[in-house]
Amino acid sequence: MSMHTNGPVREKLWLLIIVLLVVFCLIFFSAKGKVKIPLTNRIVITLLAPFQSASSKLGNTSSNVIKGVNDLLTVYQENKQLKAQVLQLRKQNMQNNEIAIENERLRKILDYKKIAQQFEMKTATVIARDSSTWVNNIVVNRGANDGIKKDMPVVTPAGLVGYVIKTYDSYSIVALITDPRVAVGVMVQRNDSRVAGIIKGDINGSSAVHMENIPRSADVKKGDQIITSGLGGIYPKGIFVGTVEDVQNESGGLLKYAAVKTAVEFQKLEDVIIIVNSQQIPAEKLVKQMQQNADGQQVEKVGANE
C-alpha cells in the first residue's frame, strides 16, 4: 500500500524538479541572449519587474543620498576655504592700513627734518608710558648707546613733547610738558604781542597745560600760538607748543594765565624726535657773550679815555 502511494509522489517531485530546471534554463539562456522566446521574455520581465523597480528606486535613492552627502562636503570645504580667505584678507587689510599709517607718520618726520635743518635729530619709538596724577613720562627705544643724553629736547612734527630726564643703554625716559613739575619758557608768537611766560602741566593730572606768569595788562588772547622762547637752556627757540583756548585772571593777584591746547596729542604718541644737537646758540651762552661784549666795550672806552 505504501509503495503504491510513494510512487506517484516521487513522480510529481521529479516532474516539479524538471519543470524548475527547464524554467531556470530558459531564464538563463534568455538572459544570455542564446535563446529568444517571446513568451519566456514576457514571463521573465513580468516576474522580475517588481524587483527591478525596487532595485532601481533603491539605487536612485542611494545615488541621491551619496550625491547629497558629496554636495554637503563640497559646500563645507568651500565654506571653510572662504572663511580662511576672509580672515587672510582681513589680516592683510589691517597690515596694509597699519603700514599706510606708519608711512604717513614717517613722511611727516622726514618733512620736519627737511624743514628744521638747524637740528641734528634721531627718531625714536614710544615703548612704554606712565601717566599717573603726578607723573607724565614715556619711555623711548633710544638710549646712551645711541648718543642720547639727559636734557635733550623731544618733539614731533606737530610740536613740543618734553625732554629726556634719564638715559639707559638702550632706552630713555622722557618727561612730558603735561607733567606739572616741568616748566617750559614760552612766548606768544604774534608780532604785536611777544609776551613771555612759563608753560606748566595741570596739577590735577589732566592733559591740559597753562601759560603762567603773565601780567594782567599783557596782550594775550584766545587763538594766540605759543612757541618756545629759548630761555632755560633746554628747548631751542621757536618750537610750537600749542594754541591759547582761554585767558583767566588769577584771584587776588596781578597776574593771569592762559589755558593752552597742546599741539601734540599725548595719548596718541607713537614716534618722537630727539634733538641731539642744535645749531642755534643756547640762550645762556648768548647772554654770556653779550656780557663779554659789553665788558669789552667798556674796557675799550676806558682805554680811549686814558
Side-chain angles (χ1 to χ4, degrees):
M1 182 75 179
S2 59
M3 294 186 61
H4 291 287
T5 305
N6 291 336
V9 173
R10 288 179 181 177
E11 291 177 357
K12 291 179 181 180
L13 182 59
W14 280 109
L15 182 60
L16 179 60
I17 291 172
I18 292 171
V19 171
L20 289 175
L21 287 174
V22 170
V23 172
F24 176 78
C25 290
L26 290 173
I27 294 173
F28 178 78
F29 289 112
S30 177
K32 290 290 185 178
K34 294 181 179 181
V35 178
K36 295 183 180 179
I37 303 175
L39 180 60
T40 304
N41 286 340
R42 288 198 295 270
I43 294 173
V44 171
I45 291 171
T46 302
L47 292 174
L48 295 181
F51 300 100
Q52 289 178 345
S53 177
S55 176
S56 177
K57 290 182 180 178
L58 182 61
N60 291 335
T61 303
S62 300
S63 178
N64 291 334
V65 171
I66 293 173
K67 185 177 181 301
V69 172
N70 288 333
D71 290 343
L72 286 176
L73 290 175
T74 302
V75 170
Y76 173 77
Q77 292 296 332
E78 290 178 351
N79 188 40
K80 189 176 180 181
Q81 291 176 358
L82 289 174
K83 285 184 176 180
Q85 290 177 1
V86 168
L87 290 175
Q88 182 63 27
L89 290 174
R90 187 177 298 171
K91 181 180 178 181
Q92 185 175 353
N93 187 46
M94 291 179 62
Q95 291 175 345
N96 291 339
N97 289 339
E98 191 64 22
I99 290 173
I101 293 171
E102 184 178 2
N103 287 340
E104 179 65 16
R105 293 200 312 267
L106 294 177
R107 185 189 62 79
K108 290 181 179 179
I109 290 175
L110 289 175
D111 291 343
Y112 181 78
K113 285 184 175 181
K114 292 178 182 178
I115 296 172
Q117 294 183 358
Q118 71 273 27
F119 301 141
E120 181 184 345
M121 297 172 281
K122 290 190 176 180
T123 58
T125 300
V126 178
I127 57 176
R129 60 176 65 236
D130 181 5
S131 299
S132 59
T133 304
W134 288 91
V135 181
N136 290 271
N137 298 337
I138 59 174
V139 181
V140 298
N141 66 340
R142 294 278 193 173
N145 294 339
D146 304 295
I148 307 302
K149 297 179 181 178
K150 186 177 181 293
D151 291 339
M152 285 183 173
V154 180
V155 299
T156 71
L160 184 64
V161 172
Y163 73 104
V164 177
I165 59 174
K166 196 168 185 179
T167 61
Y168 297 88
D169 289 341
S170 58
Y171 65 94
S172 300
I173 299 176
V174 176
L176 307 179
I177 61 174
T178 53
D179 190 329
R181 298 171 299 180
V182 174
V184 183
V186 296
M187 63 187 298
V188 177
Q189 192 179 32
R190 182 160 45 92
N191 285 333
D192 55 350
S193 174
R194 310 301 282 181
V195 174
I198 297 174
I199 284 287
K200 283 189 174 182
D202 190 347
I203 196 171
N204 295 321
S206 68
S207 59
V209 296
H210 293 160
M211 181 178 174
E212 303 177 352
N213 295 345
I214 306 173
R216 283 200 176 187
S217 59
D219 182 16
V220 180
K221 59 186 179 181
K222 183 177 180 181
D224 279 342
Q225 293 187 336
I226 307 301
I227 60 174
T228 54
S229 63
L231 302 177
I234 293 181
Y235 308 100
K237 184 178 180 180
I239 299 175
F240 187 43
V241 177
T243 305
V244 174
E245 287 191 319
D246 189 24
V247 180
Q248 296 287 337
N249 293 325
E250 293 184 0
S251 58
L254 301 176
L255 301 175
K256 61 184 178 182
Y257 69 91
V260 177
K261 181 180 180 181
T262 59
V264 174
E265 296 184 65
F266 292 98
Q267 295 299 324
K268 297 181 179 181
L269 275 179
E270 294 183 72
D271 300 297
V272 297
I273 301 169
I274 302 174
I275 299 176
V276 297
N277 191 21
S278 174
Q279 294 178 0
Q280 293 180 349
I281 301 176
E284 295 177 355
K285 187 175 181 180
L286 182 60
V287 171
K288 187 176 181 180
Q289 286 181 356
M290 292 174 63
Q291 291 176 345
Q292 289 175 350
N293 292 336
D295 294 340
Q297 289 176 358
Q298 289 178 357
V299 170
E300 289 178 0
K301 288 181 179 179
V302 172
N305 290 332
E306 291 178 350

